[in-house]
Amino acid sequence: MNYELLIGAPFSRKRMEISFLASQIFVYFMFVSVWSIVVFQIEQNPFAVKESIRAVATLLFILWLVFATNNYLLVPKIYDSKWHPKLSKWIFWVINMVFIVLLNSEVFGNGPRGGGAHDGTDQPWFVGMRIGIYLFGVVWMAINYAMIGLAFGRRSYLKQQQVKNQLIEEQQKNTEAELAWLKNQLNPHFLFNTLNNISSLTQIDPDMAQDKIGQLSDLLRYALYETKEEFVDINGELEFMQNYIDLMSLRCGPNVDIQTSFNIQNTSRKIAPMLFLSPIENAFKHGVSSNKQSFIHITLKDDDNTLTFTCENSNYPKSDKNRSGSGIGVENMQRRLQLIYPNHYQFEQKLEEETYKIKIQIL
């Protein structure tokens, strides 16, 4: 069980919320500070400066309070409540309406209330000011409710990110499981072929068969214990490939030309384990004839941070009934390349004049 995932996710969300709250406070004080500097530069009346700064600070604080209350409390605890979806939404809007009215009571309470002239009639300038106050009230209420919409937007974004992260985690788990399955398919594959070769050798040269059994033991030790990690040292992989080729060569006669060339300059390089086993296996399956000249040429080299594997062999396709070396083959390898080296590999295979060629480059 991944305890880091279970403990780390809530901690990360809490840290993100604290960071977001700190950024809001910083923006609030920065805006008030900038406004203060601007007013000091424009106004000469100290009273006007003080009142302007107080009004701006109060209005911004009201907006922030509406947003913060909805973002941290009302939206997640009431609107998204599973208790009673419809009723909880009605309660949410009623609470917001009462909360905004009470919060802005002082703002709306300072507007003009009576006539503007001694004869009881309003002067035009006073009527205009009253209309301006009413217009300000409508716009200000809309801004308050816009803060609720902003809180909705942020909570929705966080939900989408959470779902996206869960999908990524699930995809990663599925990928790891698929990689494990693909790699495990290789183990019985080469074991079956090698045991057949050693079995035939026991009747001809028991001493050599015993040596090859020791060599097979090294292969099994590598496959079972050294390949548990996603990447292994390339030196171990080279030794594994060479041992496997030696064992597969047991069934080849003198008419088969087998050549290998491993030239690795960067010995600290890591590589996916048993990645090139399938094309080597297929080369011995389809590239060897019992009565015709055959060849298998295998190279692995690195150059300019690019690892290049090539395998060329004569082509003598076996029938579908021939199960020696059959299995998931090259398709398996291509799938592993897609999962382990996405967008960082090139794969080519072709048949030219009865010669099969395969080339893999890991960038």
Side-chain angles (χ1 to χ4, degrees):
M1 182 178 293
N2 194 340
Y3 291 99
E4 183 180 355
L5 181 62
L6 295 176
I7 300 175
F11 178 77
S12 177
R13 287 195 296 270
K14 183 177 180 181
R15 184 171 57 184
M16 182 182 67
E17 292 294 345
I18 294 175
S19 176
F20 182 67
L21 179 61
S23 66
Q24 295 173 62
I25 297 174
F26 171 77
V27 170
Y28 171 79
F29 282 105
M30 184 184 70
F31 194 92
V32 173
S33 300
V34 171
W35 180 260
S36 303
I37 295 173
V38 172
V39 172
F40 270 115
Q41 295 295 326
I42 297 176
E43 291 288 345
Q44 301 298 325
N45 187 341
F47 178 77
V49 171
K50 178 181 177 181
E51 288 301 312
S52 177
I53 295 174
R54 185 187 69 83
V56 170
T58 301
L59 295 179
L60 288 178
F61 180 76
I62 290 174
L63 292 180
W64 174 81
L65 200 58
V66 172
F67 170 78
T69 303
N70 278 275
N71 181 67
Y72 297 110
L73 181 61
L74 297 182
V75 174
K77 301 298 183 181
I78 298 180
Y79 190 88
D80 292 338
S81 174
K82 305 299 183 182
W83 166 64
H84 196 296
K86 291 184 178 180
L87 183 59
S88 62
K89 289 176 173 57
W90 277 102
I91 295 175
F92 168 82
W93 289 113
V94 170
I95 292 176
N96 260 301
M97 182 179 66
V98 175
F99 177 65
I100 290 176
V101 170
L102 293 177
L103 197 61
N104 290 277
S105 59
E106 183 180 355
V107 176
F108 296 130
N110 291 331
R113 302 175 187 275
H118 296 290
D119 59 0
T121 60
D122 289 334
Q123 297 293 335
W125 66 269
F126 196 82
V127 173
M129 186 174 69
R130 289 176 61 181
I131 294 175
I133 290 294
Y134 299 145
L135 181 61
F136 166 77
V138 173
V139 174
W140 182 245
M141 288 295 289
I143 295 176
N144 275 263
Y145 277 93
M147 293 299 102
I148 301 177
L150 189 62
F152 270 118
R154 183 172 185 271
R155 302 305 303 188
S156 176
Y157 171 78
L158 292 178
K159 285 183 180 179
Q160 291 178 359
Q161 289 298 111
Q162 184 178 5
V163 172
K164 182 179 179 180
N165 291 336
Q166 289 176 348
L167 290 176
I168 292 175
E169 291 173 4
E170 290 299 322
Q171 184 178 8
Q172 183 178 0
K173 291 179 181 178
N174 292 336
T175 300
E176 292 174 354
E178 183 177 1
L179 280 172
W181 182 84
L182 290 172
K183 188 170 68 176
N184 289 337
Q185 295 301 306
L186 298 173
N187 297 338
H189 224 179
F190 78 81
L191 178 62
F192 175 79
N193 292 328
T194 306
L195 285 176
N196 280 342
N197 296 333
I198 295 177
S199 177
S200 60
L201 186 63
T202 56
Q203 305 296 327
I204 304 173
D205 192 338
D207 292 335
M208 181 179 290
Q210 186 174 358
D211 292 338
K212 296 304 178 182
I213 290 175
Q215 199 170 8
L216 176 60
S217 176
D218 293 336
L219 286 176
L220 291 176
R221 186 180 299 109
Y222 178 84
L224 293 175
Y225 302 110
E226 302 298 329
T227 62
K228 292 182 178 180
E229 300 296 329
E230 183 178 3
F231 297 98
V232 297
D233 292 332
I234 196 166
N235 285 335
E237 188 69 12
L238 291 177
E239 182 179 357
F240 169 82
M241 291 170 60
Q242 189 62 65
N243 286 337
Y244 182 80
I245 292 171
D246 290 343
L247 290 173
M248 292 297 291
S249 302
L250 292 176
R251 65 176 182 178
C252 299
N255 63 315
V256 182
D257 175 31
I258 300 175
Q259 298 181 18
T260 60
S261 175
F262 300 147
N263 185 14
I264 302 298
Q265 303 297 326
N266 182 12
T267 56
S268 62
R269 179 189 291 274
K270 298 282 188 177
I271 187 175
M274 299 188 292
L275 185 62
F276 306 121
L277 182 59
S278 292
I280 295 175
E281 181 185 40
N282 284 343
F284 280 95
K285 175 186 176 183
H286 300 291
V288 175
S289 173
S290 59
N291 54 8
K292 297 180 181 179
Q293 289 297 317
S294 311
F295 71 92
I296 299 175
H297 298 164
I298 300 170
T299 66
L300 183 64
K301 63 179 181 179
D302 61 349
D303 184 25
D304 295 331
N305 295 323
T306 300
L307 187 66
T308 303
F309 170 86
T310 61
C311 182
E312 298 184 4
N313 56 269
S314 48
N315 187 47
Y316 300 105
K318 302 297 187 296
S319 64
D320 294 337
K321 294 181 180 181
N322 187 339
R323 304 299 297 172
S324 62
S326 64
I328 50 181
V330 176
E331 292 78 9
N332 181 315
M333 181 192 62
Q334 287 184 275
R335 182 57 180 159
R336 292 186 70 200
L337 284 169
Q338 293 171 3
L339 294 173
I340 302 174
Y341 301 103
N343 302 320
H344 287 81
Y345 78 95
Q346 293 180 356
F347 177 85
E348 300 177 9
Q349 62 176 341
K350 54 186 176 180
L351 183 62
E352 292 181 347
E353 298 180 357
E354 298 184 351
T355 297
Y356 175 77
K357 299 179 180 180
I358 187 170
K359 181 179 181 181
I360 303 166
Q361 287 185 306
I362 298 177
L363 310 178

